[in-house]
Amino acid sequence: MDGGVGLLQRQLVDYRASLFNEGILNEQFNQLQSLQDESNPDFVVEVVSLFFEDSVRLLNELAKSLDQRNVDFKKVDAHVHQLKGSSSSIGAQRVQNACIAFRSCCEEKNVEGCLKCLQQVTKEYYLVKNKLEILLKLEQQILAAGGSIPVQSEVI
Amino acid sequence: MGLPVGTVLYRIFRSCKSCGRSRAAEGTKRFQGDVLQEEFQFASSYCLSSYYSVFVVRVAIMALLAILIGMLTILTWHITKVYTAKSLNSLAYGLRYELLQRPLLRMWSLLNSTVEITTAQVKLSEYVIRRYTSQPITRAQQVELYDVMRDVTWALFASHKALNAITVNYKNGFVQAFHRDHRSNGTFYIYSDLVNYSISNSYEMNTISSHQRWNDQSVQGNLSAIWYRVPLDPVSGEKIGKRQTIPPDDLINIAGPSQVPDGVASWHVAVSKFTDSPFLSAALPVWDRSNTSIVAVVGATTALFSVGQLMKELVEFHRGHIYLTSQEGYLLMTSTNAPLLRNSTAGPKLVMAVESEDNVIREGAQWLQRAYPNKFPPSHEVHVENARLGNKRCYIDSFFLNLKRLPMVGVIIIPREYLMGKVDERALKTLIILISASVCILFIGCVCILILTNGVSKEMKLRAELISQLEARRRAEASSNYKSQFLANMSHELRTPMAAVIGLLDILLCDDCLTNEQYGTVTQIRKCSTALLRLLNNILDLSKVESGKLVLEEAEFDLGRELEGLMDMFSAQCINHNLETILDLSDDMPKLVRGDSSRVVQIFANLISNSIKFTTSGHIVLRGWCNKSNVHSGMGRTLHNQKECTSANAPKSKEQAAIANITRRKDNKMAFWFEVDDTGCGIDPSKWESVFESFEQADPSTSRTHGGTGLGLCIVRTLVNKMGGDIKVIKKNGPGTLIQLHLLLSPSMKGDAEQQRQHSLTQFSHNSLVVILALSGSVGRSILSQWLYEKGVSTWQVADWNELIHILDPLFQVRSSFEKDTIDDHQSASELLSKKASRVGIGISVFIVVVDVVLLDLTTSIWKEQLKCLGKYCGRAKFAWILNHNTSNSVKMELRRNGHLLMMNRPLYKTKVVQILEAAIKEKDNLEEQKVGASPSAGVHQHECIEINSFHYDGESSDDSDGAERCRFEKKKRNRTRKPTISQFTVVNNLAKFTEEYLQNNQHDTRAAKCSSSHDRGVSTETELACKNSRCGEEYETGSCPEERNDMYLSQGKGQRSLEGLRILLAEDTPVLQRVAAIMLEKMGAIVIVVGDGLQAVNALNFCKNAEVSRAASPLISEIASHPQISDASSFDLVLMDCQMPKMDGYEATKVIRKAELGTGSHIPIVALTAHAMSSDEAKCLEVGMDAYLTKPIDCKLMVSTILSLTRRMSQFSFATASMKS
């Protein structure tokens, strides 16, 4: 059993490292994890799921806004800004970067660019969602197996 | 018109040539890179097209001009020439007509008169003859008849002078004639001999057959008769000579019956051999009574000579030639003297006009014959204006005089030259003048057009160039602007990872599990990261300045304190070098000024770090003085002036005065002058300007040996310029660099602090202090000594230990002997010394010995002996120790054990000296008090240790602490984004103190109380704090090394909930951020209430206030509050406000909150949370009334420190008020 946990732990570490290396996550996620302790055992899961909900809502709003004839760029910009804020808070770096590009498109009032950026953001969002879900699942497996989640030693 | 065409051709040729040239230029430029090519092609094509258009315009204008001038010329010429010619022609015609008409008329009148005379003669003859023939004629009658006839004829002849001859030829052959010879001017009577005539017979016979006989008889008679000529007196008609026989018909032409064949009058032109002009002779028959037979023929001859004379006269007057011809072409009269007759064998004959000897007449006649060979125009009238005779052009006019028997043609030839000569000449001249004038005008016009269009084309070219250059400049500016903007926008993106790296390293450093080696490595990494961040900040600062986003703040700050802090920091850095850092600010500088403190500090930090980098040994002096007046009271200045020997000083001070004058006029700003003087490697004079350029270093090799990017000085200059100042390198005696700068800052209105300091300074002189400066650095020592001397404090300067002992020994001997009223002469070391000693000895109260710790021999254990040696003076003098930053703890312990409680870190500057002096005075007062009161706590007092903090956290007395605190806080706020190294140090430093205080407030309360109990309450809180610090400092070293402190904080902060008990309202719309921030804060021990937008935040705050109020009324009501956390909260300590939120954003909410607070006097700290990292956002945040500013993602430490600093102030404030109340 111990070996299984160890394997899982190593897998988790590797996986997390890969996420960092690919730039999907950044150190903010570590900060997030460091905030998780006995008083808030499911803090990361909570925040991440909050992020998912919020992002889905925002993405829908964005799609709706951009679908209209006269695009309200102010609104779009506000949404993107929110998405950027929340993604940067959990450390979803690529979503954040996509959001930055999105905002610059928005400032130019470039509808096509915005649509492209929306696609990009959506793509990145689903990517990070999948990855995070796997990560969290792994962590839960480890916890279920009675192991402890290894602290991140390698950051960059 | 040939000239304009020529110019046009020339222009075309030239344009072709220039085209070729430009193409050639294009060819050469093609090699110079592709970037230029495009622009050049654009420009050249533009040029070419413009050139063509200009060329076309030129040609068009020239053509127009040419046409205009041509037309004008032609018109002028036409008007002048044609009209004149026409009028002249008509005049000439009239003249010619008149000219010809007159001889003709004369001719006509001549003819008429001849005819009249003839007719009169005929009538008279008829009368006479009929009278005599009415009866048979006798011989006598016959003679009588002839006599009568002769008298009658004579009467007629005499009355008509023009007559040449008058003849009467009787039927019987008798002839009577009168003749005037014009040549001899004689008048003659010519008659035939009467002898041969049988009057009766012949007369009778003649009556029968008239014709035949007449002819025969006349012929016979002519042949046979003898002719006589008698000269007569031309007036009276008397015979004056004898008669002469002359051959018949020889002299004159006697008109005979043959000339009147049909019995009517006849005309003909006759010639005679005696005159050279022809005659006009008329003949009329004299009929008998029955009108059946002719009895006589009367002839009259008139010379045409007179007509010729008239012609000559006319021609003489008018020039030209006139001639008359008969219809057949014989010349009758000419205006010339050419002979009209030709002598031939058959006697003189008339000459044909075409054969005349006169050239003109001949040619004219020939011309007429040529022109009209056969058919003369009807009535022979010809008017030719342009007949060419020889080489002359002539007018030829002919008129026809139609006499019945004698048709005549008159021809007048007038040379054209005579009539039209002047006109033609004038016309030619006018034409020439006109043409030449028009050509000139055309030429000048073309030149003008050329010049004009040249100017226009040049202007066009220049304009095109200007446009392209403007375009290029705009593009370049835009790109440069984009670059700067990009960099400025990147600031957040660049700094965040660096901040993260440093933060994570900090976390790593507080991990306990690191080995020593790892710890060292990580520390090194951290240092490197800090350096990298500093570099980044430099670049970003520069770009920010370039993109115009740098906004200088205008806040009050303590300039002196900032600079002292800076010197503290750098002296810690340069402790390894054998380097002395000295701060020398003149006393006239206002303490508080308004400006951007962080930028000012940055300027000096850059300058000093630069100096440190290049100075291996010697000193670095930061001098500051103020230009309030031209008298520099700063001691450093005077020192400097002496050194400079006033050579460079005179213009400098003048310049300064000028600047001061300018600045004084401007809104109350003052010029602050600073000098950074080092003894480093110096800068080559040629590089004095360029060192301030970006990325420029005086010596390229230095970047290898010393490192650095060369950005520092550039930023400094930009900042100095931005503050309205100037910076330059100045010539210096001796090695090293002297950089002088001035800044324009407005002094604060609060002059209290300054006054207070002045007061405290004057106080020293009253107390008659004596200070022995035992310092290793000579420059700093002399500066301080000078200053103290000016303040009325006596000083000794001592450079090493032995000297110190040598001075101390005699001094205290003197002093003691003075007390004992005995004077030891031999103990005075020198005369000066003794003099001074005797001077100060009287009324001396306090001896202060400032000793540098390096004077102790720390390498061996001798220093302990030395300390003991000093111990004996301890009671009599106050010792203040200047420590190094790395002075070991054991030394400090030893010092403390020896009773040397006054210790401070290097460097020693005026504020510290003032503190030392104050402490000494205070101690003296205490001693006196103790002496008087004999207080039992004297022993405790002995153990009091005063260590003046290097960061002099509360330098001033507590009444000023609020302002100072704000000052400090503001600085910190700014430092956070800009200068992490300093800011972190100070923030952390402060934080450490906050936490310390918290700790001490909570845990060491009793100790603090104990500690402070021995003091009188007048001692300010800062000594309390210092005391506490020192107590705590036994566990960890205080204030010497910032890094240590940092670690200390971290180690401390980790295990501790630093925000314990704080109530924080978090306004954030993003759920993720909400959660994260809430957890962060909660982990720190804060109570967090989360709201979703600005409106809710405002509501929550209002509710709290209401709740508070209502609770004050009745505590029970508060239970109604829905939120349990709110309900038990009196109010929030702090608000974290996101800037961008739905419904009401952070700015709006803040405004509303601040508005609501207006009346109440409360002030809740609001911290902005924003994803923007620009200073403009920060400015906006601060503008609406927020207190601080955090960027997303939230940096935990930064947030905690910010919150603490804000809440701490508030709590301090409340604490103060609480203590006031108590």
Side-chain angles (χ1 to χ4, degrees):
Chain A
M1 239 3 237
D2 270 353
V5 172
L7 200 68
L8 276 174
Q9 277 176 338
R10 201 175 306 141
Q11 213 176 336
L12 176 66
V13 168
D14 287 347
Y15 189 66
R16 195 156 51 195
S18 75
L19 288 187
F20 275 97
N21 286 338
E22 286 168 33
I24 294 172
L25 292 178
N26 62 11
E27 79 278 358
Q28 191 67 26
F29 187 72
N30 288 334
Q31 286 208 5
L32 208 65
Q33 283 198 320
S34 71
L35 288 170
Q36 178 166 318
D37 56 11
E38 295 78 33
S39 56
N40 295 299
D42 291 328
F43 176 64
V44 175
V45 180
E46 190 188 339
V47 170
V48 168
S49 49
L50 265 175
F51 169 66
F52 291 158
E53 282 167 30
D54 196 38
S55 303
V56 167
R57 180 181 65 82
L58 285 172
L59 286 172
N60 285 340
E61 290 268 341
L62 279 173
K64 218 192 284 172
S65 300
L66 284 173
D67 207 25
Q68 273 160 0
R69 187 156 302 220
N70 293 323
V71 182
D72 184 359
F73 280 104
K74 231 176 195 174
K75 203 167 144 195
V76 173
D77 190 55
H79 287 318
V80 178
H81 185 64
Q82 272 198 344
L83 189 57
K84 185 189 156 203
S86 57
S87 57
S88 71
S89 294
I90 70 149
Q93 200 173 2
R94 283 168 66 158
V95 179
Q96 189 188 342
N97 290 342
C99 283
I100 291 169
F102 201 157
R103 287 196 73 184
S104 62
C105 270
C106 228
E107 269 167 38
E108 289 167 15
K109 312 224 164 179
N110 178 357
V111 180
E112 269 184 44
C114 281
L115 285 171
K116 216 174 270 175
C117 285
L118 179 62
Q119 270 186 5
Q120 182 69 20
V121 168
T122 317
K123 202 184 97 188
E124 294 293 348
Y125 164 67
Y126 282 112
L127 183 73
V128 81
K129 187 180 178 186
N130 283 334
K131 301 273 180 176
L132 277 175
E133 273 170 353
I134 292 167
L135 187 75
L136 294 174
K137 208 176 274 172
L138 264 173
E139 284 186 359
Q140 290 207 331
Q141 276 176 0
I142 291 167
L143 286 175
S148 64
I149 294 161
V151 279
Q152 47 276 7
S153 50
E154 57 228 277
V155 174
I156 297 155
Chain B
M1 294 308 278
L3 225 72
V5 172
T7 48
V8 166
L9 281 174
Y10 169 66
R11 292 203 49 73
I12 292 169
F13 172 69
R14 219 174 59 169
S15 74
C16 286
K17 230 165 69 172
S18 69
C19 265
R21 217 182 303 140
S22 72
R23 227 163 266 150
E26 203 176 334
T28 52
K29 279 225 173 170
R30 198 157 283 187
F31 297 108
Q32 295 181 354
D34 295 336
V35 189
L36 273 176
Q37 196 177 350
E38 199 179 321
E39 274 178 41
F40 181 75
Q41 272 176 353
F42 168 74
S44 72
S45 69
Y46 188 88
C47 254
L48 224 59
S49 69
S50 76
Y51 201 87
Y52 281 137
S53 65
V54 166
F55 176 70
V56 166
V57 165
R58 274 182 198 172
V59 168
I61 293 173
M62 282 178 194
L64 276 176
L65 188 74
I67 289 166
L68 189 74
I69 290 171
M71 272 171 68
L72 268 176
T73 314
I74 289 166
L75 210 65
T76 317
W77 189 73
H78 180 79
I79 288 165
T80 51
K81 156 96 192 178
V82 170
Y83 277 81
T84 326
K86 221 177 202 174
S87 55
L88 270 176
N89 261 344
S90 60
L91 266 174
Y93 178 74
L95 178 71
R96 280 165 354 214
Y97 185 81
E98 198 63 31
L99 277 181
L100 203 56
Q101 208 64 25
R102 280 170 68 185
L104 284 178
L105 277 175
R106 174 68 70 87
M107 190 75 189
W108 180 250
S109 67
L110 198 70
L111 279 172
N112 270 347
S113 67
T114 313
V115 168
E116 270 167 26
I117 291 163
T118 317
T119 315
Q121 178 66 32
V122 165
K123 290 297 168 200
L124 280 171
S125 307
E126 268 178 8
Y127 169 74
V128 173
I129 289 168
R130 278 177 193 170
R131 226 178 66 186
Y132 285 95
T133 53
S134 54
Q135 65 241 27
I137 297 169
T138 63
R139 189 134 182 125
Q141 276 177 328
Q142 191 95 17
V143 171
E144 198 188 326
L145 170 72
Y146 291 142
D147 281 338
V148 171
M149 275 303 286
R150 180 180 158 255
D151 291 338
V152 168
T153 308
W154 169 249
L156 264 178
F157 183 71
S159 65
H160 287 86
K161 301 273 192 235
L163 281 176
N164 188 40
I166 189 162
T167 59
V168 184
N169 193 355
Y170 298 96
K171 197 166 65 182
N172 57 0
F174 185 72
V175 173
Q176 280 179 314
F178 289 94
H179 169 62
R180 276 193 192 101
D181 189 352
H182 288 287
R183 275 181 297 187
S184 60
N185 222 4
T187 312
F188 303 98
Y189 174 60
I190 297 166
Y191 63 95
S192 56
D193 190 12
L194 279 170
V195 185
N196 296 331
Y197 299 99
S198 59
I199 295 168
S200 58
N201 288 345
S202 66
Y203 199 80
E204 281 164 6
M205 274 160 42
N206 278 355
T207 50
I208 303 154
S209 59
S210 61
H211 233 96
Q212 293 277 271
R213 266 200 298 175
W214 181 271
N215 275 338
D216 294 338
Q217 272 182 352
S218 79
V219 172
Q220 283 172 353
N222 282 342
L223 287 172
S224 59
I226 304 156
W227 296 76
Y228 300 99
R229 190 179 69 172
V230 180
L232 294 177
D233 180 70
V235 182
S236 60
E238 298 291 315
K239 288 178 188 169
I240 54 168
K242 283 189 173 172
R243 66 174 187 180
Q244 285 175 335
T245 314
I246 53 163
D249 247 358
D250 196 25
L251 204 61
I252 50 167
N253 186 12
I254 308 293
S258 60
Q259 284 175 330
V260 279
D262 41 0
V264 293
S266 77
W267 305 92
H268 73 274
V269 174
V271 291
S272 94
K273 53 179 130 180
F274 300 107
T275 56
D276 49 359
S277 67
F279 298 98
L280 180 71
S281 64
L284 270 177
V286 181
W287 298 90
D288 63 355
R289 200 172 291 168
S290 56
N291 260 355
T292 49
S293 61
I294 298 168
V295 287
V297 174
V298 174
T301 307
T302 318
L304 290 179
F305 174 74
S306 64
V307 181
Q309 202 67 34
L310 181 73
M311 279 180 173
K312 262 179 205 161
E313 277 164 22
L314 286 175
V315 162
E316 243 168 52
F317 187 71
H318 287 295
R319 292 179 69 195
H321 300 271
I322 305 172
Y323 68 92
L324 277 174
T325 59
S326 62
Q327 202 170 12
E328 293 81 27
Y330 292 104
L331 268 179
L332 297 181
M333 280 161 288
T334 64
S335 58
T336 60
N337 291 324
L340 299 171
L341 304 177
R342 188 177 46 191
N343 283 321
S344 63
T345 46
K349 271 183 120 178
L350 280 170
V351 177
M352 290 290 281
V354 288
E355 289 159 3
S356 163
E357 281 176 27
D358 192 274
N359 283 335
V360 179
I361 291 169
R362 190 177 63 234
E363 278 166 8
Q366 280 168 356
W367 188 88
L368 275 174
Q369 211 171 31
R370 269 202 307 277
Y372 309 99
N374 300 319
K375 37 175 179 139
F376 264 102
S379 79
H380 279 255
E381 290 213 13
V382 175
H383 301 287
V384 181
E385 290 181 359
N386 250 337
R388 183 164 281 279
L389 300 181
N391 48 6
K392 275 187 192 167
R393 290 145 69 86
C394 297
Y395 288 98
I396 297 179
D397 298 84
S398 77
F399 298 92
F400 185 63
L401 188 66
N402 195 10
L403 297 177
K404 201 173 175 188
R405 296 285 172 91
L406 190 67
M408 284 190 294
V409 175
V411 174
I412 181 163
I413 299 171
I414 295 178
R416 192 186 162 81
E417 194 189 336
Y418 167 62
L419 282 180
M420 306 295 282
K422 284 265 168 73
V423 176
D424 281 345
E425 197 185 348
R426 285 278 157 81
L428 194 70
K429 273 182 189 167
T430 319
L431 193 67
I432 287 168
I433 288 168
L434 271 177
I435 286 174
S436 53
S438 62
V439 164
C440 278
I441 289 170
L442 197 69
F443 179 71
I444 291 165
C446 284
V447 168
C448 283
I449 288 165
L450 212 67
I451 290 165
L452 205 76
T453 49
N454 236 357
V456 169
S457 73
K458 216 173 262 176
E459 198 186 316
M460 273 170 77
K461 248 183 259 173
L462 284 175
R463 207 171 279 179
E465 243 167 72
L466 193 71
I467 287 166
S468 66
Q469 268 173 10
L470 276 179
E471 182 71 13
R473 205 187 74 176
R474 200 184 55 74
R475 254 182 284 161
E477 270 175 3
S479 79
S480 148
N481 218 20
Y482 285 145
K483 204 171 62 191
S484 295
Q485 222 148 34
F486 167 75
L487 271 175
N489 287 336
M490 279 297 281
S491 64
H492 179 236
E493 273 70 22
L494 285 171
R495 278 173 191 158
T496 315
M498 279 318 295
V501 167
I502 292 168
L504 290 171
L505 285 171
D506 286 341
I507 294 170
L508 196 59
L509 279 171
C510 13
D511 253 352
D512 299 331
C513 56
L514 289 176
T515 65
N516 273 346
E517 271 175 45
Q518 282 170 334
Y519 187 87
T521 317
V522 172
T523 314
Q524 202 62 40
I525 294 171
R526 199 188 176 286
K527 270 184 194 162
C528 295
S529 311
T530 321
L532 180 57
L533 192 58
R534 198 179 323 149
L535 183 62
L536 266 178
N537 281 328
N538 274 346
I539 294 170
L540 293 173
D541 272 343
L542 203 60
S543 63
K544 202 185 262 182
V545 172
E546 275 175 2
S547 68
K549 284 189 175 172
L550 180 81
V551 182
L552 288 178
E553 289 179 31
E554 189 73 13
E556 200 167 87
F557 70 100
D558 186 338
L559 181 64
R561 191 184 294 180
E562 296 286 352
L563 294 178
E564 282 161 10
L566 200 66
M567 290 315 280
D568 283 333
M569 199 180 80
F570 279 110
S571 76
Q573 243 181 57
C574 65
I575 199 72
N576 296 330
H577 309 280
N578 187 16
L579 200 58
E580 199 184 353
T581 50
I582 301 143
L583 178 68
D584 172 18
L585 298 178
S586 87
D587 289 331
D588 59 0
M589 283 176 82
K591 192 164 164 54
L592 292 177
V593 294
R594 294 188 65 79
D596 195 332
S597 67
S598 61
R599 297 294 170 190
V600 172
V601 168
Q602 191 181 4
I603 289 168
F604 292 109
N606 278 343
L607 287 175
I608 294 170
S609 68
N610 200 52
S611 287
I612 288 174
K613 206 188 285 172
F614 294 106
T615 310
T616 46
S617 67
H619 59 263
I620 295 168
V621 187
L622 171 58
R623 288 192 201 92
W625 70 97
C626 181
N627 232 28
K628 224 189 262 174
S629 62
N630 281 334
V631 183
H632 307 301
S633 56
M635 53 178 177
R637 268 321 294 171
T638 52
L639 187 81
H640 183 68
N641 282 355
Q642 283 156 10
K643 239 195 293 183
E644 294 265 298
C645 292
T646 67
S647 59
N649 203 36
K652 209 192 290 174
S653 60
K654 218 181 269 173
E655 183 192 341
Q656 287 167 6
I659 290 171
N661 279 339
I662 293 162
T663 52
R664 216 168 298 153
R665 257 182 278 129
K666 275 194 253 167
D667 50 357
N668 193 27
K669 286 207 169 178
M670 275 169 65
F672 286 80
W673 289 84
F674 296 97
E675 272 178 1
V676 179
D677 182 2
D678 66 38
T679 54
C681 58
I683 301 172
D684 188 74
S686 63
K687 297 278 179 76
W688 279 1
E689 262 306 306
S690 64
V691 284
F692 294 109
E693 305 290 329
S694 304
F695 305 105
E696 187 77 39
Q697 286 187 325
D699 181 5
S701 65
T702 52
S703 68
R704 241 171 294 132
T705 52
H706 300 284
T709 52
L711 276 179
L713 286 179
C714 178
I715 292 172
V716 166
R717 188 171 66 171
T718 323
L719 289 173
V720 168
N721 287 344
K722 193 121 185 160
M723 289 184 194
D726 194 17
I727 184 165
K728 60 189 173 224
V729 184
I730 280 185
K731 193 165 172 285
K732 183 190 173 182
N733 294 341
T737 315
L738 178 62
I739 294 177
Q740 193 179 56
L741 67 142
H742 74 268
L743 303 172
L744 293 185
L745 300 168
S746 49
S748 172
M749 290 301 111
K750 294 180 190 167
D752 314 343
E754 201 181 348
Q755 277 172 9
Q756 196 180 9
R757 191 160 75 163
Q758 293 294 338
H759 174 71
S760 70
L761 285 172
T762 51
Q763 190 190 337
F764 298 146
S765 55
H766 290 313
N767 277 315
S768 64
L769 298 166
V770 178
V771 178
I772 298 171
L773 294 170
L775 299 172
S776 58
S778 59
V779 180
R781 194 178 58 216
S782 58
I783 287 172
L784 274 181
S785 154
Q786 181 101 17
W787 177 67
L788 283 174
Y789 181 75
E790 279 169 20
K791 294 293 158 211
V793 180
S794 310
T795 54
W796 271 274
Q797 293 185 43
V798 175
D800 58 35
W801 180 258
N802 289 337
E803 217 177 319
L804 175 67
I805 295 298
H806 275 136
I807 284 185
L808 282 179
D809 253 349
L811 201 62
F812 287 106
Q813 289 289 332
V814 167
R815 197 181 170 197
S816 54
S817 58
F818 178 73
E819 279 165 359
K820 290 177 213 158
D821 286 337
T822 53
I823 298 162
D824 258 339
D825 275 334
H826 80 279
Q827 277 153 339
S828 56
S830 68
E831 198 158 333
L832 174 82
L833 205 67
S834 65
K835 218 184 255 175
K836 238 184 204 174
S838 59
R839 187 169 64 83
V840 295
I842 308 157
I844 234 165
S845 50
V846 182
F847 263 93
I848 299 162
V849 186
V850 182
V851 193
D852 197 337
V853 85
V854 295
L855 293 187
L856 298 176
D857 191 356
L858 291 172
T859 46
T860 56
S861 56
I862 302 171
W863 62 272
K864 287 191 181 174
E865 298 299 317
Q866 289 172 324
L867 273 186
K868 270 184 197 137
C869 181
L870 283 184
K872 57 184 172 186
Y873 306 113
C874 220
R876 282 175 273 186
K878 180 81 186 167
F879 281 89
W881 287 88
I882 308 298
L883 302 181
N884 275 345
H885 294 268
N886 55 357
T887 305
S888 72
N889 223 2
S890 59
V891 176
K892 289 184 193 170
M893 294 290 281
E894 192 63 33
L895 282 172
R896 214 167 278 143
R897 223 183 18 235
N898 278 310
H900 302 294
L901 299 174
L902 199 59
M903 289 182 268
M904 60 188 65
N905 277 326
R906 206 179 283 280
L908 185 63
Y909 40 76
K910 288 168 199 165
T911 320
K912 282 183 184 171
V913 174
V914 168
Q915 281 169 349
I916 291 169
L917 297 181
E918 274 174 350
I921 291 165
K922 213 173 284 162
E923 194 183 6
K924 186 195 83 177
D925 292 346
N926 282 345
L927 274 170
E928 278 167 5
E929 260 176 51
Q930 280 165 21
K931 269 179 201 160
V932 175
S935 167
S937 59
V940 183
H941 178 76
Q942 285 295 316
H943 290 290
E944 184 201 2
C945 47
I946 299 166
E947 185 170 337
I948 292 165
N949 195 293
S950 62
F951 287 85
H952 56 89
Y953 159 62
D954 277 352
E956 293 301 318
S957 52
S958 56
D959 58 350
D960 197 31
S961 70
D962 195 39
E965 184 59 35
R966 194 184 304 135
C967 220
R968 188 136 275 267
F969 169 60
E970 275 166 0
K971 176 193 162 197
K972 191 164 54 195
K973 254 192 327 191
R974 285 187 298 273
N975 281 352
R976 191 187 64 245
T977 49
R978 188 190 54 76
K979 220 171 186 316
T981 45
I982 298 174
S983 70
Q984 271 178 354
F985 293 165
T986 48
V987 167
V988 159
N989 190 24
N990 281 336
L991 235 106
K993 263 176 243 147
F994 298 145
T995 47
E996 273 164 37
E997 200 172 44
Y998 269 103
L999 275 174
Q1000 282 150 14
N1001 276 340
N1002 299 334
Q1003 296 162 17
H1004 304 272
D1005 208 22
T1006 48
R1007 267 169 82 182
K1010 209 193 289 167
C1011 179
S1012 55
S1013 65
S1014 58
H1015 300 271
D1016 55 313
R1017 292 304 298 177
V1019 176
S1020 57
T1021 42
E1022 115 258 13
T1023 39
E1024 254 176 80
L1025 192 68
C1027 168
K1028 275 178 256 160
N1029 271 355
S1030 66
R1031 290 274 162 84
C1032 301
E1034 285 174 14
E1035 300 151 31
Y1036 46 84
E1037 268 311 311
T1038 46
S1040 52
C1041 176
E1043 235 124 324
E1044 265 176 67
R1045 272 179 164 248
N1046 206 353
D1047 302 341
M1048 167 196 83
Y1049 149 66
L1050 284 165
S1051 58
Q1052 217 177 23
K1054 195 167 187 188
Q1056 205 192 330
R1057 295 155 70 84
S1058 47
L1059 300 178
E1060 190 71 67
L1062 286 176
R1063 283 169 297 278
I1064 292 170
L1065 178 66
L1066 174 66
E1068 169 65 63
D1069 60 325
T1070 321
V1072 181
L1073 263 175
Q1074 256 183 20
R1075 195 78 191 99
V1076 172
I1079 288 293
M1080 271 186 185
L1081 291 168
E1082 273 168 15
K1083 280 194 86 154
M1084 291 300 188
I1087 301 158
V1088 184
I1089 294 98
V1090 183
V1091 289
D1093 58 53
L1095 204 61
Q1096 286 181 30
V1098 173
N1099 287 340
L1101 279 171
N1102 284 341
F1103 179 76
C1104 275
K1105 214 167 276 166
N1106 293 341
E1108 204 177 346
V1109 171
S1110 59
R1111 189 165 42 195
S1114 88
L1116 285 175
I1117 300 171
S1118 67
E1119 299 300 320
I1120 307 163
S1122 58
H1123 205 297
Q1125 278 170 315
I1126 293 177
S1127 63
D1128 63 313
S1130 62
S1131 72
F1132 293 106
D1133 292 310
L1134 188 127
V1135 181
L1136 275 173
M1137 185 81 79
D1138 186 19
C1139 288
Q1140 282 195 321
M1141 283 186 292
K1143 287 181 191 169
M1144 184 188 273
D1145 67 10
Y1147 304 121
E1148 280 295 313
T1150 310
K1151 276 186 202 161
V1152 171
I1153 292 166
R1154 289 288 178 244
K1155 211 171 175 185
E1157 278 175 355
L1158 262 183
T1160 63
S1162 60
H1163 183 95
I1164 185 160
I1166 299 176
V1167 178
L1169 273 178
T1170 163
H1172 305 291
M1174 299 306 305
S1175 86
S1176 60
D1177 296 306
E1178 192 177 341
K1180 194 176 172 189
C1181 290
L1182 298 178
E1183 196 182 310
V1184 296
M1186 294 184 180
D1187 300 86
Y1189 167 91
L1190 287 172
T1191 52
K1192 290 179 196 173
I1194 298 165
D1195 184 49
C1196 194
K1197 268 187 290 147
L1198 210 57
M1199 179 170 76
V1200 169
S1201 61
T1202 310
I1203 291 172
L1204 273 179
S1205 64
L1206 284 168
T1207 51
R1208 144 92 186 139
R1209 188 178 59 174
M1210 300 309 285
S1211 67
Q1212 198 188 30
F1213 180 69
S1214 58
F1215 173 77
T1217 50
S1219 64
M1220 286 258 285
K1221 274 174 206 161
S1222 68

